Amino acid sequence: MTMDSWDNAITGQPGGGAVNSHSFGGAVSFFRTPLGRQLDGMDVAVMGVPMDIATTNRSGARLGPRAIRNASMSLAWERPWPWQQDPLQALKVVDYGDCENHLGGGLTSVKHIESWIDPILAANCACLLLGGDHFISYPSLRSHFRKHGPIALIHFDAHTDTWPSSGEGINHGTMFYQAAKEGIVLPEHSVQIGIRTTNDDTLGYQILSAADVYENSAADLVSRIKQRVGNHPVYLTFDIDCLDPAFAPGTGTPVPGGLSSFQALNIIRGLTGINLVGMDVVEVAPAYDHAEVTALAGAQIAIELLALYAACRKPRA
């Protein structure tokens, strides 16, 4: 893909794009960004990881990337409100397609997913992953650690995902325990937001529970998050079950009493200035969704993460 074809795709000129395309027609890609695997000159690659072999309750998140892309089509006609900068104009973004599924599990899947993420990061391109179950954050963190060193984690979720790994290996509830034990993530500089399940051993992660979010202003929460992560490289992961099931029923492990979509987005919008290096949105399971409300929330969060990355990124050397 040439840079001219990229410009045409994003400005709505011949060759496709958001501005002059119907939301209900045309080839499906994330916010109508060009599909391809050419990374020269690209700032961000959006990649689906359609895997849910690490779930502990309802499966189905393997169809999440497709659902998020479909839902994004109806949002692609303008820049996300209230950002003053359109991330799809500020950034060169390519829809990289999906990490091809690999039969098997455990460390085999970890290494396989890493083999897809590593070349993206090696091209000095950031990665936005669309899950897939939350396990996919673990290989992504391993790849980002090799490029950026120890990572500060901003983690939106109903669950801490820091339960000790069992004899069955890493699953979508144990990967941040494993990442902390391996020194990939810095718990003392990491924060988990929206938590409303019991896990007495925090491993040193700061918990901002769902109650904390309801009882404090977004500005106060943002200040605490920024102070926590400091200037460390930040990976932001958003499990859609952070949202209350009223806003995101389509997920494998829903928990009542969660954040509204506005609360979550308000926090994300305040995080400008952090050293954001990687992102993912996970656990959208469309089989349990209603009227695409969960997929729509996932798509909105994903484009807001791109807007945040555009506001945070450092100029290319």
Side-chain angles (χ1 to χ4, degrees):
M1 176 183 295
T2 66
M3 296 307 294
D4 286 343
S5 64
W6 187 94
D7 289 334
N8 288 341
I10 202 61
T11 57
Q13 299 303 313
V19 177
N20 294 326
S21 297
H22 295 298
S23 62
F24 51 83
V28 175
S29 68
F30 179 77
F31 279 83
R32 290 204 178 276
T33 52
L35 285 163
R37 297 213 166 129
Q38 173 57 255
L39 296 173
D40 291 346
M42 295 293 111
D43 297 308
V44 181
V46 180
M47 184 172 73
V49 188
M51 188 191 78
D52 56 12
I53 62 173
T55 53
T56 56
N57 191 32
R58 305 185 300 191
S59 61
R62 69 183 62 187
L63 298 178
R66 180 182 299 176
I68 291 171
R69 287 185 176 104
N70 283 339
S72 78
M73 301 284 280
S74 66
L75 300 170
W77 60 280
E78 66 171 0
R79 75 172 188 266
W81 179 92
W83 296 93
Q84 295 302 304
Q85 177 177 239
D86 186 340
L88 299 183
Q89 294 289 347
L91 301 169
K92 303 280 196 241
V93 181
V94 63
D95 188 327
Y96 200 72
D98 287 345
C99 169
E100 294 175 7
N101 200 14
H102 184 78
L103 298 179
L107 290 176
T108 303
S109 292
V110 170
K111 293 173 183 176
H112 178 73
I113 296 170
E114 287 177 34
S115 74
W116 282 74
I117 298 172
D118 286 346
I120 296 173
L121 301 184
N124 291 319
C125 190
C127 197
L128 168 61
L129 297 185
L130 307 177
D133 70 55
H134 212 160
F135 165 85
I136 71 169
S137 295
Y138 174 66
S140 183
L141 283 167
R142 285 169 58 97
S143 291
H144 283 80
F145 172 78
R146 282 193 291 274
K147 182 173 179 64
H148 299 286
I151 300 291
L153 186 70
I154 297 178
H155 172 204
F156 288 81
D157 207 324
H159 315 83
T160 62
D161 296 339
T162 53
W163 286 273
S165 299
S166 68
E168 297 178 354
I170 305 166
N171 62 43
H172 75 158
T174 67
M175 65 282 175
F176 297 140
Y177 172 93
Q178 191 71 22
K181 292 299 183 181
E182 293 179 13
I184 295 168
V185 166
L186 300 168
E188 68 274 19
H189 293 290
S190 298
V191 58
Q192 300 180 307
I193 305 154
I195 305 301
R196 54 193 186 277
T197 49
T198 302
N199 185 357
D200 293 329
D201 186 359
T202 67
L203 296 181
Y205 290 93
Q206 182 179 19
I207 306 295
L208 296 178
S209 69
D212 291 324
V213 174
Y214 275 90
E215 293 168 3
N216 293 274
S217 69
D220 177 61
L221 295 166
V222 165
S223 176
R224 292 158 70 180
I225 295 167
K226 287 183 173 180
Q227 183 176 11
R228 182 75 171 180
V229 302
N231 293 321
H232 295 279
V234 173
Y235 188 95
L236 196 157
T237 178
F238 198 107
D239 186 327
I240 204 68
D241 71 28
C242 179
L243 303 182
D244 189 88
F247 299 91
T251 191
T253 51
V255 182
L259 277 58
S260 71
S261 53
F262 178 77
Q263 287 173 313
L265 292 170
N266 221 21
I267 295 170
I268 290 171
R269 291 164 183 162
L271 292 175
T272 55
I274 63 172
N275 183 15
L276 185 62
V277 297
M279 309 152 278
D280 66 47
V281 180
V282 298
E283 297 283 357
V284 172
Y288 316 109
D289 208 0
H290 300 284
E292 296 184 303
V293 63
T294 311
L296 188 65
Q300 184 68 41
I301 290 162
I303 194 65
E304 301 261 353
L305 292 183
L306 283 186
L308 177 62
Y309 181 76
C312 292
R313 73 171 183 145
K314 296 179 175 62
R316 283 179 177 267

